[in-house]
Amino acid sequence: MTETADAREADRALKAKHRTMWALGDYPAVATQVVAGLGPALVEACGVKDGDRVLDVAAGSGNASIPAALADADVVACDLTPELLAVGRKEAEARGAVLSWQEADAEALPFEDGTFDTVMSCVGVMFAPHHQTTADELVRVCRPGGTIGLLSWTPEGFIGQMFATMKPYAPPPPPGAQPPPLWGNEEHVRTLLGDRVTGVEARRRALRVDAFREPEDFREFFKAAYGPTIAVYRSIAGDPERTAALDGALADLAAGALRDGAMDWEYLLLTARRATA
């Protein structure tokens, strides 16, 4: 194999690994039972309206896509993991939302340049491994003057700290892969988008999560439902001491965040316009 062929093969293997990871557990339960408020918040911030052509990238089971469709936009929801799209289709049908679902890689979107009025992602594209490639694709498929909207967990917030807690127990990332919570850093995202956008507005907000009464409730739910957490535990399944240590670390993290049965999970909500020239 040439170096280029090797790189393509490595990328295919990495994407297959990501696809499998997000199919683990029950991410739709996370989306509907824990973080349901994020999608509507992003749709509102993007100003989605009747007739807008909207692309939701790394849409999962439709946390943002379905609210956008219910606002009478013309929505395409795309994701790397077909299992999540299948759940989204059923949820959309149950809620009377009409939209299109398409399997797609955020780093190689199968759409023409300037196709969409709004291109958005709700805690989705942050998990694509190559940040600049992903940002380039978001800008490319957005029409000049159109809106790009991104909602991402911050490094300092609870989910960012959860990833930091799991990192010592996880296999090392492949070369070139960047940490997901960097998308929650305003300067990082501004650098990715560069002068191809204007009117950037970035706000740090917090999602109130009251789904877990005890620290162990959070830990056990995420061990059972959240793909990245499941994958880390699988990687240390043969080491009871490390498994117990991670159990304790995640419970401690949640204990430090719980106040009267609720937690505040910080995220960055960033919107911008694609430059017209």
Side-chain angles (χ1 to χ4, degrees):
M1 280 191 186
T2 67
E3 183 177 350
T4 301
D6 286 341
R8 286 198 297 264
E9 183 60 32
D11 188 64
R12 280 193 291 268
L14 177 59
K15 299 301 171 56
K17 184 178 180 180
H18 276 222
R19 187 180 296 111
T20 299
M21 179 183 72
W22 286 108
L24 296 172
D26 189 0
Y27 183 75
V30 179
T32 58
Q33 298 175 29
V34 184
V35 302
L38 296 182
L42 178 59
V43 170
E44 180 180 5
C46 290
V48 172
K49 61 185 184 301
D50 184 1
D52 282 354
R53 178 81 166 147
V54 176
L55 176 65
D56 186 9
V57 185
S61 53
N63 182 268
S65 312
I66 293 173
L70 291 173
D72 293 322
D74 181 6
V75 180
V76 177
C78 68
D79 197 276
L80 190 66
T81 304
E83 291 88 345
L84 298 182
L85 297 176
V87 175
R89 287 189 186 94
K90 293 180 181 178
E91 176 69 12
E93 183 177 354
R95 295 175 61 181
V98 178
L99 64 156
S100 300
W101 303 85
Q102 184 167 345
E103 186 176 342
D105 179 356
E107 297 183 359
L109 294 171
F111 308 107
E112 297 295 327
D113 296 358
T115 300
F116 298 95
D117 300 303
T118 296
V119 178
M120 63 182 184
S121 186
C122 183
V123 293
V125 297
M126 64 179 292
F127 293 100
H130 307 110
H131 295 188
Q132 190 62 65
T133 302
T134 302
D136 293 347
E137 284 293 274
L138 298 177
V139 174
R140 181 184 66 77
V141 300
C142 185
R143 68 165 175 81
T147 298
I148 296 171
L150 303 167
L151 192 155
S152 309
W153 301 119
T154 66
E156 303 83 5
F158 181 80
I159 295 297
Q161 289 303 300
M162 183 192 75
F163 277 96
T165 298
M166 295 192 301
K167 183 177 179 180
Y169 302 90
Q178 294 174 279
L182 275 179
W183 282 89
N185 178 285
E186 179 183 346
E187 290 308 312
H188 180 68
V189 181
R190 283 180 176 270
T191 299
L192 293 174
L193 298 176
D195 60 6
R196 298 172 299 176
V197 301
T198 62
V200 175
E201 294 185 20
R203 294 136 284 182
R204 284 179 179 246
R205 295 181 178 177
L207 175 72
R208 174 56 59 98
V209 175
D210 59 5
F212 311 110
R213 301 300 301 178
E214 301 293 338
E216 293 76 16
D217 296 337
F218 157 77
R219 182 192 67 207
E220 294 307 308
F221 181 84
F222 266 62
K223 284 176 69 173
Y226 193 59
T229 305
I230 296 169
V232 171
Y233 271 97
R234 286 190 175 184
S235 73
I236 58 172
D239 191 331
E241 289 187 5
R242 297 191 78 203
T243 299
L246 180 55
D247 276 347
L250 289 176
D252 288 346
L253 177 69
L258 272 169
R259 299 288 184 276
D260 298 322
M263 294 185 274
D264 290 317
W265 294 3
E266 186 183 63
Y267 60 88
L268 178 73
L269 179 58
L270 185 144
T271 57
R273 296 279 183 182
R274 181 176 174 185
T276 56

